[in-house]
Amino acid sequence: LLDGLAAAVRARRALPAKAAAVAASACASAEAPKSSLFRESNAQLPTDNLRIRGVQALVPAACLQEELPHSGRAAGVVTETRSVLQKLFSAPDGGSDRLVVVAGPSTLHDVDTALQYAARLADAAKTFEGELVVLMRCRYSAPDSSDWRGLVMDPDLNGSLNINMGLSTARELLQAVNQLGLPVASEFSDTTVPQYLADLVSWAQ
């Protein structure tokens, strides 16, 4: 019993010394530089973006639309075609028996050739407008089997990836096609590019 009581006294006497040691340790920790949970913006970790060659800022979609606004005719073509397609798809057995035709290349890479094709297709669309609703397929992305990234991602076809130029080129092309009175169909494979082009597209998947 006495041994136990004596040990308790010795333990109590040791408390002030331990408290002082803890306080000294806390002060030392406060003086040492703290490691942040967040990296500085200019810090580069050896595991950061190892497969990223570079980062390119995109022009905001609203700025490009302001720079290249669609014309009144283009807006009319898109609005009218969307309305027609909505009626055809929602009531395929009533109202109209016109057939919807989406015609065009697998992907676009040459603007001049695309516009020549669009002009000929627009003439054909007018010829058969009583039976057909013709849209030109304007796909801006490349097939998965191709090393080329597509008109938007690589408009120069040389791997330079001038995306801002590609967005402008694609928007100008869609404007020109709509100006011919020919509506556009496209394929949206991401959620970014449609912000720049969707107002010029009558139907997309």
Side-chain angles (χ1 to χ4, degrees):
L1 178 62
L2 296 178
D3 288 339
L5 293 175
V9 171
R10 289 193 294 271
R12 186 179 64 183
R13 290 174 179 172
L15 287 177
K18 289 183 178 180
V22 170
S25 175
C27 292
S29 298
E31 294 173 357
K34 296 182 178 179
S35 60
S36 174
L37 293 176
F38 302 96
R39 290 190 293 112
E40 296 295 332
S41 60
N42 61 349
Q44 184 74 19
L45 296 179
T47 58
D48 188 44
N49 287 343
L50 298 182
R51 300 185 182 276
I52 304 300
R53 187 173 66 187
V55 177
Q56 177 184 165
L58 295 181
V59 60
C63 294
L64 185 61
Q65 290 175 349
E66 183 177 348
E67 179 183 346
L68 300 172
H70 57 59
S71 66
R73 185 179 188 189
V77 169
V78 173
T79 301
E80 181 181 355
T81 306
R82 287 180 178 177
S83 177
V84 169
L85 294 178
Q86 182 178 10
K87 293 177 181 178
L88 286 173
F89 292 153
S90 60
D93 297 329
S96 176
D97 59 354
R98 296 169 71 191
L99 182 66
V100 178
V101 178
V102 177
S106 172
T107 187
L108 300 174
H109 70 280
D110 187 310
V111 173
D112 292 336
T113 302
L115 290 178
Q116 294 175 17
Y117 179 92
R120 298 178 63 181
L121 186 61
D123 290 340
K126 293 176 182 177
T127 301
F128 301 104
E129 62 183 352
E131 298 80 22
L132 307 176
V133 180
V134 180
L135 299 89
M136 178 172 168
R137 184 190 190 197
C138 294
R139 186 185 184 197
Y140 55 81
S141 57
D144 295 337
S145 58
S146 173
D147 292 333
W148 180 56
R149 299 298 304 278
L151 179 66
V152 167
M153 296 296 178
D154 190 15
D156 295 319
L157 286 82
N158 59 5
S160 60
L161 302 179
N162 189 349
I163 301 175
N164 284 324
M165 176 182 173
L167 289 168
S168 297
T169 301
R171 186 166 178 83
E172 290 175 340
L173 174 58
L174 297 189
Q175 285 178 328
V177 174
N178 279 288
Q179 280 292 106
L180 295 172
L182 182 64
V184 167
S186 189
E187 299 175 24
F188 292 156
S189 56
D190 59 75
T191 58
T192 300
V193 175
Q195 300 175 45
Y196 297 82
L197 307 177
D199 59 322
L200 295 167
V201 175
S202 296
W203 182 83
Q205 66 175 13

